[in-house]
Amino acid sequence: MISPFHHLPDRALLRTQEEQVPLSSSQLAARRFRDISWELAETTHGLDVSITAQETPLKELVLRWDLDFPQGCRFLGGPWERGYGSQEWRGFAPDRVMAWYFAADNGQEVLCFGVKAQPHALCWWSADPHGFSLHLDLRCGGEGVKLRGRTLPAASVVFRRSGATAFQALQRFFKELCPVPLLPDHPVYGSNNWYYAYGNSSHQDILQDADYLASLTQGLENRPYMVIDDGWQSLHNMEPGYNGGPWRAGNEKFPDMGALAREIANRGARPGIWIRLLWNRDPQIPESWRSKRDREYLDPTVPEVLSYIQEDLRTLRRWGYELIKHDFSTFDIFGRWGFQMGSQITGGGWRFADETVTSAEAVLNFYKAVREAAGNGLILGCNCIGHLGAGLMHLNRTGDDTSGRSWEQTRKMGVNTLSFSLPQHGALFAIDADCVGVTGEIPWELNRQWLQLLAESGTPLFTSIQPGVLTPEQEEEVRAAYAMASQHSSAGAYPLDWQNNMYPESWLLSHRKETFRWYLDR
């Protein structure tokens, strides 16, 4: 049994732009240090944390609780923005950064610690045998935020203990962290040709894919999505390696994006499209709109930038695209991938144009602008910070790219992602563990299992199938998977061995046990 704990922390550490200030429990209770004040309000669920300062730039507040975790306790925490194939239950690892939430399981009960979705600070946890800490990153970009007397509602902390299994405890916990998720009103599935075309695509190629998708989903009432990925942007062939804007037109391979959306719809599929909103080399964009971190990217705290990207999104909607996959925003804002972040989501030496907002608020306002401009279209976030986007995006890509060429990549980024983000499905958003990539380079016996697991999980199923690769028998298996995915609305899968296996093989699917073999016989 894990010893009981109280909601108020035992001590804290306050970091400003210039110094570090240790705070005892009595100093915390005083609620003030110079021009800085804070409020730690106990609630039925945990603790509401707010802070303000008149002049002093604030960087971080670390709250520490003393708690004896028993030997043998296992811990699981979240990634900053998406998984990169390394999610797992582990023993004590005091330097491990567990973003947004963590769970501790000693075999008798499960303790869950987290912050509610859409906090105004970037929050991560650490744990050791003698206690745990909540780190609230208050910075504006890489330097201290200048609140100028504004009270920042930093986070609403939630503590829960449960006698259920770890998987069930986390399912319930995530629903508490996001009481009002934004979910699709129908099961989402379909095709995205990225994992065989890898950007080498055209108007006619997309229509060929749409025809193939229509043939594999014939007779299904809930129609699939045909998603156009990277490669349609206007500067695609002029700037090798560049996949940013402007986004108001296609290129020579995609001469009329509105006509393409209509032709996809005429073939019985729903048009979807990919976009990278914050990398834009349009020479007409004023320098004042650009990030101080890197002038290549737009600063989302500039009001005109939000208006500009909203017009990009409204253009896509006017063209007829019903699903918008917006990508790369976390990297474009902070200059790091999730696996590079650790305890610092970005480097120092820069602030946003608006120096009075935290990094979390900058991202939240960006997501809110996307949500508003998308209207009644579906939003699929990719390289997004899920805990900030929960309630503002319908679907979230919860892992890095799978592959049409490397099974090891799909196993790492797909199987691991699905297994460890599945408790979030339907609680924070619909999780997208990425595609089944079919090029003929991955043995079908492996892709078949990945296809089956995605279809039976109840999560969105996207495939990327090169035409002419599948046999008629394999196409029938895809038809069956699509039919199942078209009807699911909630998760129906449970990884039984996920606490001992980064790529769980033993699953409960629709109340039956199924074993998967993710490794070729050697």
Side-chain angles (χ1 to χ4, degrees):
M1 183 73 69
I2 297 175
S3 58
F5 62 94
H6 47 83
H7 289 176
L8 289 174
D10 293 287
R11 55 194 173 279
L13 178 67
L14 177 65
R15 289 192 174 97
T16 71
Q17 187 67 25
E18 303 297 335
E19 61 184 322
Q20 295 188 143
V21 184
L23 300 169
S24 66
S25 58
S26 60
Q27 290 171 314
L28 270 176
R31 300 188 298 181
R32 178 171 290 276
F33 174 76
R34 297 178 187 163
D35 68 326
I36 306 165
S37 60
W38 56 84
E39 183 74 28
L40 305 178
E42 287 192 274
T43 66
T44 56
H45 60 258
L47 192 70
D48 284 346
V49 182
S50 59
I51 191 167
T52 189
Q54 296 300 320
E55 300 295 336
T56 303
L58 303 178
K59 298 186 80 170
E60 187 180 32
L61 177 64
V62 183
L63 304 179
R64 172 69 181 186
W65 287 263
D66 294 328
L67 179 65
D68 290 328
F69 290 105
Q71 291 298 313
C73 202
R74 305 271 284 174
F75 299 85
L76 176 69
W80 273 119
E81 44 99 4
R82 58 181 174 179
Y84 289 86
S86 60
Q87 297 180 82
E88 63 176 327
W89 288 87
R90 294 171 61 185
F92 293 114
D95 298 325
R96 183 184 185 186
V97 172
M98 298 181 287
W100 311 115
Y101 74 92
F102 81 97
D105 184 358
N106 71 344
Q108 295 180 326
E109 64 177 349
V110 181
L111 261 65
C112 297
F113 309 80
V115 296
K116 286 194 173 182
Q118 300 184 28
H120 290 207
L122 299 171
C123 304
W124 61 277
W125 302 82
S126 58
D128 57 66
H130 309 296
F132 62 95
S133 301
L134 170 61
H135 306 249
L136 297 108
D137 186 338
L138 307 171
R139 294 178 302 160
C140 172
E143 301 297 323
V145 67
K146 300 177 181 180
L147 292 176
R148 297 174 184 165
R150 177 173 69 94
T151 297
L152 178 76
S156 184
V157 186
V158 182
F159 302 131
R160 284 291 177 262
R161 59 198 318 156
S162 170
T165 67
F167 192 87
Q168 292 166 333
L170 279 168
Q171 281 183 313
R172 297 168 187 169
F173 189 60
F174 286 126
K175 289 180 180 178
E176 190 166 358
L177 295 187
C178 185
V180 188
L182 179 65
L183 299 173
D185 62 4
H186 58 278
V188 176
Y189 73 106
S191 177
N192 176 328
N193 76 356
W194 178 258
Y195 293 107
Y196 82 80
Y198 289 98
N200 184 16
S201 188
S202 69
H203 182 113
Q204 290 304 319
D205 291 333
I206 294 296
L207 293 183
Q208 178 184 358
D209 288 326
D211 285 331
Y212 191 38
L213 178 63
S215 73
L216 294 172
T217 59
Q218 188 173 4
L220 299 182
E221 183 176 348
N222 175 23
R223 300 308 296 154
Y225 286 85
M226 181 67 238
V227 181
I228 303 167
D229 214 289
D230 181 2
W232 67 269
Q233 56 270 27
S234 58
L235 294 182
H236 176 64
N237 292 321
M238 296 169 59
E239 303 277 348
Y242 177 69
N243 64 350
W247 300 103
R248 308 291 165 85
N251 55 49
E252 64 276 10
K253 291 186 176 182
F254 290 89
D256 191 330
M257 298 303 295
L260 180 53
R262 291 190 295 273
E263 291 184 65
I264 291 172
N266 289 338
R267 282 160 168 78
R270 308 182 203 227
I273 197 166
W274 171 97
I275 191 171
R276 183 175 185 172
L277 291 163
L278 293 177
W279 195 14
N280 199 313
R281 290 180 178 171
D282 186 341
Q284 301 302 313
I285 290 177
E287 278 298 303
S288 60
W289 293 15
R290 298 195 171 276
S291 171
K292 296 177 182 178
R293 182 192 64 78
D294 188 327
R295 310 305 288 180
E296 285 275 306
Y297 303 97
L298 303 183
D299 184 329
T301 71
V302 176
E304 292 83 359
V305 167
L306 295 184
S307 296
Y308 183 91
I309 65 105
Q310 285 189 313
E311 184 55 31
D312 285 339
L313 293 162
R314 292 187 181 109
T315 297
L316 302 185
R317 293 291 290 123
R318 283 194 297 268
W319 284 341
Y321 292 95
E322 300 177 28
L323 180 150
I324 297 173
K325 175 184 177 183
H326 70 94
D327 199 354
F328 283 94
S329 60
T330 302
F331 178 83
D332 293 347
I333 292 172
F334 297 111
R336 292 180 179 175
W337 303 108
F339 63 86
Q340 299 169 321
M341 289 173 178
S343 63
Q344 301 289 316
I345 200 169
T346 191
W350 68 280
R351 289 186 177 93
F352 292 104
D354 185 347
E355 299 182 339
T356 70
V357 300
T358 66
S359 295
E361 290 178 305
V363 174
L364 269 173
N365 290 335
F366 170 71
Y367 292 163
K368 288 175 182 178
V370 171
R371 173 73 184 97
E372 178 185 350
N376 60 1
L378 286 188
I379 301 167
L380 167 55
C382 189
N383 184 227
C384 287
I385 300 176
H387 213 74
L388 295 177
L392 296 169
M393 58 182 67
H394 302 84
L395 304 93
N396 185 35
R397 259 279 302 280
T398 49
D400 197 11
D401 290 6
T402 57
S403 177
R405 299 166 177 164
S406 166
W407 169 249
E408 289 74 19
Q409 177 84 359
T410 295
R411 182 178 61 217
K412 181 178 180 180
M413 301 304 182
V415 176
N416 181 265
T417 290
L418 179 67
S419 306
F420 288 87
S421 60
L422 192 55
Q424 301 173 17
H425 180 62
L428 302 184
F429 27 61
I431 70 159
D432 170 20
D434 209 12
C435 293
V436 181
V438 180
T439 62
E441 297 183 46
I442 294 176
W444 180 246
E445 64 185 280
L446 295 171
N447 261 341
R448 174 196 288 118
Q449 295 179 90
W450 177 226
L451 176 74
Q452 177 192 348
L453 182 56
L454 282 174
E456 294 205 49
S457 72
T459 65
L461 168 64
F462 286 103
T463 65
S464 190
I465 303 173
Q466 183 172 333
V469 168
L470 293 180
T471 68
E473 293 77 12
Q474 292 166 351
E475 288 182 340
E476 285 303 315
E477 292 177 296
V478 173
R479 284 191 180 91
Y482 275 151
M484 182 177 294
S486 75
Q487 298 174 7
H488 274 301
S489 59
S490 61
Y494 179 175
L496 297 172
D497 59 338
W498 73 316
Q499 290 184 278
N500 301 298
N501 191 345
M502 290 177 67
Y503 312 115
E505 296 181 311
S506 181
W507 286 76
L508 193 66
L509 300 176
S510 303
H511 308 293
R512 78 179 192 282
K513 189 174 179 180
E514 185 92 14
T515 300
F516 293 92
R517 293 181 61 87
W518 303 127
Y519 307 89
L520 286 173
D521 292 333
R522 297 184 184 276

